[in-house]
Amino acid sequence: MFNIVVKKYGNPDNLIYEESESLVLDKNSVRIKVESAGVNFADLLIIKGRYQERPRPPFSPGLEISGVILEIGSNVSNLKVGDRVISIMKYGGYRTEVVVPKENTYLKPSKMDTLEAGGFPVIYGTAFSAIVTKAKLKKNEICVILGATGGVGMAAIEIAKAYGALVVACGGNDKKLNICVEKGADYTINYNDKIIRKELKSFGINAVDVVIDMVGGQANLDLVKSLKWNGRIIIVGFTSGTIPEIPVNRLLLKNARAEGLYWGELAYREPEEIGNDLSVLEQLYNNKKLNPSVNRVFELKDANKALNLLADRKNIGKIVLKC
Ligand SMILES: NC(=O)c1ccc[n+]([C@@H]2O[C@H](COP(=O)([O-])OP(=O)(O)OC[C@H]3O[C@@H](n4cnc5c(N)ncnc54)[C@H](OP(=O)(O)O)[C@@H]3O)[C@@H](O)[C@H]2O)c1
């Protein structure tokens, strides 16, 4: 079995590709031959030791995979050898073979190819939990997505449109914002050279129902001021590097709420709910409401190049590793 290993916290160039012993299979887990592994922003943080989850080196990064079951534990009855599956994990996906608890392994959406499937659960699962479970987005509501130009953001655009919202996509790169329009965004705002509230007004939008925030910082604070009565802001990430301190009086005045989402942990605590979400997402995919196209594919041994591309913000959409 080959894997990418973090031996010391640091940058992608510190990652080591090497052969290791196969992992031991316990009675509640399945052994999977990995075909593709999704590359996520969180992988960049975890290899630096700067993520909520802080495994002690040596470890392999990687939150999601798609592949084929090679072996099942004696307590596993819902899955069988040969099933094509997707799995979610806290880390450890950058391998040619993984061992994952049965609860965190789901049948692969049957019409999705294996490369797409390896990059599907985290960004679509997160966007779904934020928009549907947490924000309870309703038809014709106005939904602003901060960080719409990233993986979670683009998935969020497609899901919000599928639920009938008017979508404003905010990002820092015009080329990526054009892709957001292709994904269905009604309006776009480049927050690097425009003031979000002023731009919203120029679209005739004085207040918004829902904000899905992957960026944090000043943009978050500006949008808290733009929430409507009963507005919702869902906190997903802080790619700007600044954790905003939301003035709670703003929430009180609008009868609004700010809510956090930690999807990776949720996937472990509530795997059945996540399975139900994935089934809804599969239906949306089959109805052509979602297009989880992969933008770049790298060989597993080149995981450092994939992560450097992500760190340099040169990716548009999803990157996966072929394992
Ligand atoms: N809470 C959870 O459960 C959960 C689950 C999944 C992801 N996340 C978090 O959500 C965030 C987005 O994840 P992702 O996979 O969508 O990442 P991604 O594909 O790398 O996208 C990053 C997004 O953040 C924007 N951004 C703004 N300032 C940035 C900066 N200084 N550095 C990098 N990007 C910056 C980028 O916009 P431009 O490039 O257009 O400026 C882009 O829209 C991350 O913080 C991730 O950890 C959280």
Side-chain angles (χ1 to χ4, degrees), residues 54-241:
R54 213 165 174 270
R56 190 174 293 177
F59 69 94
S60 295
L63 305 174
E64 56 183 349
I65 61 97
S66 151
V68 184
I69 295 188
L70 295 174
E71 194 182 353
I72 59 171
S74 56
N75 273 356
V76 179
S77 55
N78 58 330
L79 295 162
K80 59 181 190 312
V81 171
D83 278 348
R84 305 199 80 87
V85 290
I86 51 180
S87 285
I88 301 159
M89 54 212 70
K90 291 190 171 180
Y91 54 91
Y94 286 18
R95 300 173 194 258
T96 53
E97 196 184 291
V98 292
V99 168
V100 189
K102 58 182 180 184
E103 294 85 359
N104 309 109
T105 300
Y106 307 91
L107 289 176
K108 177 180 78 61
S110 58
K111 295 188 179 152
M112 199 177 282
D113 75 47
T114 194
L115 281 179
E116 275 181 349
F120 186 74
V122 172
I123 57 172
Y124 281 90
T126 300
F128 187 90
S129 288
I131 290 173
V132 181
T133 315
K134 297 262 176 195
K136 301 195 182 351
L137 182 71
K138 297 196 269 296
K139 199 172 172 195
N140 296 327
E141 284 195 320
I142 299 170
C143 176
V144 175
I145 299 169
L146 259 183
T149 44
V152 177
M154 289 200 190
I157 296 172
E158 292 181 345
I159 294 169
K161 285 311 295 178
Y163 279 77
L166 185 139
V167 173
V168 183
C170 302
N173 175 310
D174 287 335
K175 207 168 136 195
K176 295 186 195 176
L177 284 167
N178 287 338
I179 311 282
C180 293
V181 174
E182 287 171 24
K183 292 267 176 195
D186 297 282
Y187 299 104
T188 62
I189 301 174
N190 185 329
Y191 46 57
N192 285 337
D193 45 52
K194 299 263 167 46
I195 297 165
I196 295 178
R197 296 189 76 197
K198 220 165 140 188
E199 279 305 287
L200 286 173
K201 288 221 165 82
S202 77
F203 307 144
I205 299 171
N206 289 321
V208 307
D209 299 282
V210 168
V211 177
I212 306 295
D213 182 15
M214 273 66 75
V215 175
Q218 190 57 43
N220 171 297
L221 296 174
D222 289 348
L223 280 163
V224 168
K225 291 184 191 160
S226 300
L227 286 176
K228 272 188 192 174
W229 181 254
N230 282 337
R232 292 85 79 196
I233 181 162
I234 311 300
I235 314 300
V236 182
F238 313 103
T239 51
S240 67

